[in-house]
Amino acid sequence: MVGSPWVMEAAAIWGERWSSATNSMAKEYMEVACRKQSLVCLAADKPTMSELEELIDAVGPYIAALKTHVDLVEDWTAERWGAFCKRASAHNLLIFEDRKFADIGKISRHQMGGVYAIGSWSNLVTAHLISGPDIVDGLQAGWGDYGTEGGVLLLAQMSSRGNLLNPNYTDEVVRLGIQHTGVFGFIGNGSRPEELKLLRDKVGTEKMIWTPGVNLQTGDGAMGQRYGDPTEAVLAGSDCVIVGSGIHGADDPASSAKAYADASWAGLLNR
Ligand code: 5BU
């Protein structure tokens, strides 16, 4: 990858995020984003394997990462999931299991195993820091148990209304998270650009901020979800917009994914 035209383009387009990134997976993501001209992570919230397979085949060219909720799939089997992950890799997608781990380090480590063996196929996972910073070491050990490597996205903010992640809590998550090499970045609230700007100021340039709560139709979503505009989220400091129903709920997921890709890419070019 070193010296390839895409790497040079990524360095120019991402600027300080590229030059100060310490994490190789972050660079992998930034390069794929440039190749596809998309800062979109698909939230593949579909309940059956065939729907997931169909979705990834349709939108793969327009997205830069894949987010899963493995425990909401009704007909999950290890074999079919393995094949699905291979499909994602064929599209050069990092696989991000949004498990929101929150237990003590030792248990989080074991939860990377179990039936779903999340540590064996995920590149990224989400975690709350409510139990303290040892959760990051636990999750890192969880990948280590499979001889794999991964990065943690810590929830610094959430997109849902009334959430309890207040600014003091956010500050502590950022303060502890930026020091840890096992932390890939932070989850920020994509629905509120002004909150995101504050988060970016605190995080600095080194770590990623990925943001759910993004939709081209801004406003309130189902059950307390809130939506902001993808271009505005990127302009405010988001490095990746996480989009679920805006893509998988559309009549034509592929053209919708392309619209989100264009909106997010425009944000990066103007940032
Ligand atoms: P939506 O359909 O675009 O609303 O899906 C959003 C996805 O992002 C869904 O998978 C949530 O679990 C996920 N999410 C979120 O919406 N808000 C948050 O603060 C976090 C994750 Br963390």
Side-chain angles (χ1 to χ4, degrees), residues 159-161 213 215 217-227 245:
S159 63
S160 46
R161 85 176 159 216
N215 200 294
Q217 307 240 285
T218 59
D220 291 337
M223 293 190 176
Q225 176 68 302
R226 299 174 295 181
Y227 291 118
S245 33

Side-chain angles (χ1 to χ4, degrees), residues 205-228:
T205 58
E206 231 178 74
K207 301 267 189 198
M208 294 263 119
I209 297 178
W210 287 24
T211 55
V214 169
N215 200 294
L216 286 163
Q217 307 240 285
T218 59
D220 291 337
M223 293 190 176
Q225 176 68 302
R226 299 174 295 181
Y227 291 118

Side-chain angles (χ1 to χ4, degrees), residues 43 45 67 69 98 100 126 155 157-160 187 212-215 225 227 242-246 248:
D45 299 331
K67 187 175 89 64
H69 280 302
D98 190 8
K100 300 182 183 71
T126 37
L155 275 76
Q157 297 175 335
M158 290 191 76
S159 63
S160 46
I187 294 292
V214 169
N215 200 294
Q225 176 68 302
Y227 291 118
I242 297 169
V243 182
S245 33
H248 66 67

Side-chain angles (χ1 to χ4, degrees), residues 62-174:
Y62 310 111
I63 60 173
L66 170 71
K67 187 175 89 64
T68 56
H69 280 302
V70 66
D71 54 357
L72 63 70
V73 183
E74 292 159 6
D75 56 352
W76 186 92
T77 63
E79 294 70 29
R80 211 150 160 197
W81 190 259
F84 175 64
C85 291
K86 277 204 186 111
R87 267 171 141 111
S89 298
H91 286 289
N92 296 306
L93 304 172
L94 291 179
I95 306 176
F96 159 24
E97 167 60 24
D98 190 8
R99 169 66 176 71
K100 300 182 183 71
F101 292 95
D103 212 319
I104 59 171
K106 178 180 71 170
I107 296 303
S108 297
R109 173 185 192 164
H110 295 314
Q111 288 174 321
M112 289 284 270
V115 173
Y116 293 122
I118 293 170
S120 70
W121 49 263
S122 64
N123 304 112
L124 299 166
V125 300
T126 37
H128 287 285
L129 210 59
I130 193 79
S131 62
D134 289 286
I135 190 170
V136 180
D137 298 314
L139 294 170
Q140 287 297 335
W143 277 300
D145 290 337
Y146 290 98
T148 57
E149 285 180 13
V152 178
L153 279 157
L154 291 175
L155 275 76
Q157 297 175 335
M158 290 191 76
S159 63
S160 46
R161 85 176 159 216
N163 71 73
L164 304 182
L165 283 64
N166 64 39
N168 290 341
Y169 178 83
T170 299
D171 288 355
E172 276 301 281
V173 170
V174 171

